[in-house]
Amino acid sequence: MYQNSSTIFLRPLPRFWVMPIAVACSVFIAGCTHTSRFDGQSAAVAVPTQWSSTAAQPQQRTPEDLSRWWQRFGDAQMTALIEQSLQANPSVQSAQASLRQARAQLDVQAASRIPSASAGFDRGRSWEGGDNGANSYAARVSASWEADLWGRQANAVQAGEANVQAAVAVLEGAHVSLAAEVALNYIQLRSLQNRLRIAQDNLGIQRENQQITEWRVQAGLATSLDAEQARSLTAQTAAQIPALESSLAQTRHALAILTGQPPSALDAELLAAQPLPVAPDSLAMTLPADTLRQRPDVRAQEQKVIAAVANLSSQERANFPTLRLSGSLGLNALTLGALSGATVAQNIAAGLAAPLFDAGANRAQIRVQQALVEQARISYRSTVLTALQEVEDALVQLQGDKDRLVQLKIAEEAARYAQLLANQRYSSGLVDFQTVLDTQRTLLSSQDSVATAQASISTDYVRLYKALGGGWQPLNAEGQVIDTAAAQP
């Protein structure tokens, strides 16, 4: 046995020496070990016991299944578009690739804890003076393994596992965002179709009134001012139609892109007008803490904190000694045929090495990892606060739009009655034509406002489902949805 620098080489010695060396090293540095863990205290957020906007509404502790919340709207076409987007959208495919990358990286980290082996064959020729050269042949098999005495490799594997879970949560979050985006565009499409129909119906009525007014002017029963006012109102309504049609085309293009298709792929499929999808008003709100548990973005940030803490713990152990065990079996001969009968050469070695001086590089790396842990914890806290705000905002917006729709329907009913009375009184000569035009303009505005408010309520439900963490489903190893069959809402 001989010693060189900080590495100890063992020529073939009894194998029971290896374990005592490892145990002695463990005892020597046991007091230096330190484990960093994520206890959640530094990133803790005071989660309310219930949503402030649902004090009088039912809440349940068991999270409601919102994995396919879009089926609650009862619109088969919207469901089909969402399911298609979850399979073909580029953002989902990118998140799937990131998940595969994280899993492959975990395999790399896990492989470092397993002994490695290699095989080789050498052929050489040497000359001495003017003599003829001599050939030599060698075949060998070698193996090596680094003992994870302090858990550095185990922490690296733990960080890899957390990164995989974070990638899974990111993919689930992509599903949540994509489903909501498709639903919002689909609701906007049906709302625009409804508003276009209202504008076209009013335009038809206004054109009839304009024609009647022109006849009355010819008969001397109305003035040219009445005719010009009627023509102006008709033109204003007609001007709204191209804008609505342009918005409709753009929305169809957006839906096609979200489903991974060219912009015009869905033009024929979505051309016919359909009723606005309406969600049932029967959602039992889950408690805030349960909502946070099922939100993918919150779980992704939590896993990133765990990974950062594990990386810090691994970096803290970089100054500890490492023990590497290696061995080889080899054959040496002067001819290739003689290898089969050559004597087997064996070698076993154990190397113990520890860094002596690195100018503070490792301490700096530890500070880097500590800063990354702090950043991850701050991001986790920010994500939790944002999640709570999104749910509260969605609830407030939903209730406000419901109250607003009630009043808008009252206004629409009054505007329709006023328009009917104005036409009757104008025919009797009791009011001027300006009154008729004003009531027609008010009726069109009221109908358009009601249609917009109805769409707003549907979009409010979509945003609420998204804020509650709905829209993700179990995934397989490739990051694809396991069960794409329709589920009961």
Side-chain angles (χ1 to χ4, degrees), residues 45-46 292 380-390:
V45 178
L292 296 179
Y380 172 77
R381 176 181 174 84
S382 176
T383 303
V384 170
L385 292 175
T386 300
L388 295 174
Q389 179 188 1
E390 287 180 354

Side-chain angles (χ1 to χ4, degrees), residues 99-147:
L99 175 58
R100 291 193 294 270
Q101 177 187 357
R103 284 176 171 158
Q105 186 62 38
L106 174 60
D107 292 340
V108 172
Q109 293 164 339
S112 65
R113 307 186 67 186
I114 301 175
S116 60
S118 62
F121 175 80
D122 297 327
R123 177 186 181 278
R125 185 173 180 83
S126 60
W127 291 267
E128 183 176 352
D131 297 339
N132 294 330
N135 295 328
S136 63
Y137 298 87
R140 66 185 183 279
V141 176
S142 59
S144 63
W145 175 61
E146 180 180 337

Side-chain angles (χ1 to χ4, degrees), residues 297-320:
D297 56 343
V298 175
R299 290 186 287 107
Q301 289 299 328
E302 181 181 7
Q303 292 299 324
K304 289 179 180 179
V305 174
I306 295 175
V309 172
N311 285 328
L312 170 60
S313 184
S314 180
Q315 189 64 47
E316 290 172 340
R317 289 158 172 74
N319 276 331
F320 297 171

Side-chain angles (χ1 to χ4, degrees), residues 145-160:
W145 175 61
E146 180 180 337
D148 190 18
L149 300 178
W150 326 115
R152 180 174 60 85
Q153 297 173 350
N155 278 280
V157 172
Q158 182 185 6

Side-chain angles (χ1 to χ4, degrees), residues 11-271:
R11 296 192 183 276
L13 292 174
R15 299 183 181 180
F16 59 81
W17 281 45
V18 175
M19 185 56 66
I21 292 176
V23 173
C25 295
S26 302
V27 173
F28 179 72
I29 308 182
C32 302
T33 59
H34 172 71
T35 301
S36 298
R37 296 180 179 177
F38 173 51
D39 55 11
Q41 294 301 320
S42 60
V45 178
V47 179
T49 58
Q50 67 175 12
W51 303 109
S52 60
S53 304
T54 60
Q57 298 182 14
Q59 299 190 51
Q60 60 184 31
R61 180 165 296 277
T62 302
E64 191 167 353
D65 182 15
L66 299 178
S67 59
R68 286 185 173 89
W69 52 259
W70 46 86
Q71 294 184 349
R72 293 170 174 265
F73 287 84
D75 192 305
Q77 193 167 39
M78 185 176 78
T79 296
L81 290 174
I82 292 177
E83 297 288 352
Q84 182 179 357
S85 68
L86 295 180
Q87 299 295 328
N89 186 268
S91 65
V92 171
Q93 295 174 343
S94 176
Q96 290 172 343
S98 297
L99 175 58
R100 291 193 294 270
Q101 177 187 357
R103 284 176 171 158
Q105 186 62 38
L106 174 60
D107 292 340
V108 172
Q109 293 164 339
S112 65
R113 307 186 67 186
I114 301 175
S116 60
S118 62
F121 175 80
D122 297 327
R123 177 186 181 278
R125 185 173 180 83
S126 60
W127 291 267
E128 183 176 352
D131 297 339
N132 294 330
N135 295 328
S136 63
Y137 298 87
R140 66 185 183 279
V141 176
S142 59
S144 63
W145 175 61
E146 180 180 337
D148 190 18
L149 300 178
W150 326 115
R152 180 174 60 85
Q153 297 173 350
N155 278 280
V157 172
Q158 182 185 6
E161 292 172 346
N163 286 330
V164 169
Q165 294 303 316
V168 170
V170 169
L171 176 55
E172 293 169 348
H175 285 183
V176 171
S177 298
L178 182 60
E181 190 68 19
V182 173
L184 290 173
N185 278 274
Y186 183 84
I187 291 171
Q188 181 181 7
L189 175 77
R190 297 312 182 195
S191 175
L192 288 170
Q193 290 176 337
N194 191 22
R195 294 175 60 194
L196 178 61
R197 177 189 58 78
I198 292 173
Q200 290 172 338
D201 291 346
N202 279 271
L203 179 61
I205 294 174
Q206 291 167 7
R207 282 175 173 170
E208 292 179 0
N209 289 339
Q210 179 183 347
Q211 185 65 51
I212 293 174
T213 303
E214 291 174 352
W215 291 339
R216 290 173 64 87
V217 170
Q218 294 174 2
L221 300 176
T223 65
S224 298
L225 177 61
D226 293 339
E228 292 303 319
Q229 288 176 333
R231 191 161 68 93
S232 174
L233 179 60
T234 302
Q236 290 175 6
T237 302
Q240 298 179 18
I241 293 178
L244 292 172
E245 290 176 339
S246 297
S247 297
L248 269 171
Q250 293 170 357
T251 306
R252 287 196 300 268
H253 296 166
L255 284 170
I257 296 299
L258 287 172
T259 55
Q261 302 178 77
S264 59
L266 298 178
D267 285 355
E269 182 179 348
L270 299 177
L271 185 61

